[in-house]
């Protein structure tokens, strides 16, 4: 079920000793499969955060549950040319329901740039004239939600 890109991504995260992963569009499922592979290897601790940009957010499609994100900050992000993805909203809600039940500690957010007042952002936001502002939003989110790495 796992594809080579997901395996390669998991291997890269292992070799790096951990990382925040950001995926876009069709590669969104690869980030989720990477989490599953690292879970199977007992290495979920290496996933410092997962950001899914305008991609699929289905946990069941990748063999995951909200509980797998108890210690992994999770963010879904969309521009304003894309409708709200109910799958992403449901995933974020499921992760946050565990927080409400005092299970897990990592934050989950679904950031909708249009609702944040940033209009005119297309699906290919990394090529958008506002790409630096969008990167700043992701960096700020990671700074607030991803625990700092210990110095070696």
């Amino acid at each position: 079920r796992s594809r080579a890109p997901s395996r390669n991504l998991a291997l890269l995260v292992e070799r790096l000793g951990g990382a925040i992963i950001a995926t876009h569009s069709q590669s969104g499922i690869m980030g989720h499969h990477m989490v599953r592979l690292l879970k199977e290897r007992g290495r979920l601790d290496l996933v410092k955060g997962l950001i899914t940009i305008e991609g699929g957010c289905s946990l069941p499609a990748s063999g995951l549950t909200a509980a797998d994100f108890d210690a992994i900050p999770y963010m879904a992000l969309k521009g304003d040319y894309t409708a709200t993805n109910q799958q992403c909203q449901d995933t974020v809600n499921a992760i946050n329901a565990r927080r409400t039940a005092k299970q897990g500690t990592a934050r989950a957010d679904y950031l909708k740039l249009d609702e944040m007042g940033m209009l005119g952002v297309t699906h290919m936001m990394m090529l958008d004239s506002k790409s630096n502002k969008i990167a700043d939003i992701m960096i700020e989110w990671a700074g607030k939600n991803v625990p700092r790495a210990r110095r070696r």
Side-chain angles (χ1 to χ4, degrees):
R1 187 164 192 190
S2 157
R3 296 182 183 99
S6 301
R7 286 191 305 268
N8 291 340
L9 188 55
L11 182 59
L12 176 62
V13 170
E14 287 175 323
R15 287 186 178 168
L16 290 172
I20 300 168
I21 302 300
T23 60
H24 177 259
S25 193
Q26 291 182 346
S27 72
I29 195 68
M30 291 178 202
H32 288 81
H33 279 296
M34 175 218 56
V35 170
R36 179 184 50 78
L37 289 167
L38 290 172
K39 174 186 172 184
E40 290 170 359
R41 297 176 188 174
R43 300 308 319 259
L44 272 181
D45 62 304
L46 295 177
V47 184
K48 305 306 178 186
L50 182 61
I51 299 173
T52 302
I53 304 165
E54 297 236 337
C57 302
S58 175
L59 298 180
S62 51
L64 298 169
T65 67
D68 295 321
F69 289 86
D70 281 353
I72 300 172
Y74 185 91
M75 188 239 287
L77 177 71
K78 76 167 209 70
D80 70 324
Y81 283 87
T82 306
T84 296
N85 181 326
Q86 192 58 50
Q87 186 183 77
C88 289
Q89 190 64 64
D90 291 345
T91 292
V92 168
N93 290 347
I95 294 169
N96 285 328
R98 291 186 56 78
R99 303 306 164 263
T100 301
K102 306 287 186 228
Q103 299 166 319
T105 57
R107 182 168 177 111
D109 291 297
Y110 188 11
L111 301 184
K112 303 164 188 159
L113 296 176
D114 51 341
E115 291 180 10
M116 297 168 62
M118 189 179 290
L119 302 177
V121 176
T122 68
H123 179 68
M124 297 300 287
M125 59 183 71
M126 70 290 289
L127 303 175
D128 194 278
S129 63
K130 298 173 186 164
S131 63
N132 287 345
K133 290 179 183 178
I134 296 163
D136 288 342
I137 289 169
M138 290 187 283
I139 291 166
E140 182 179 331
W141 179 88
K144 288 180 180 176
N145 298 294
V146 176
R148 296 236 180 249
R150 290 184 226 153
R151 290 189 175 260
R152 295 182 184 189

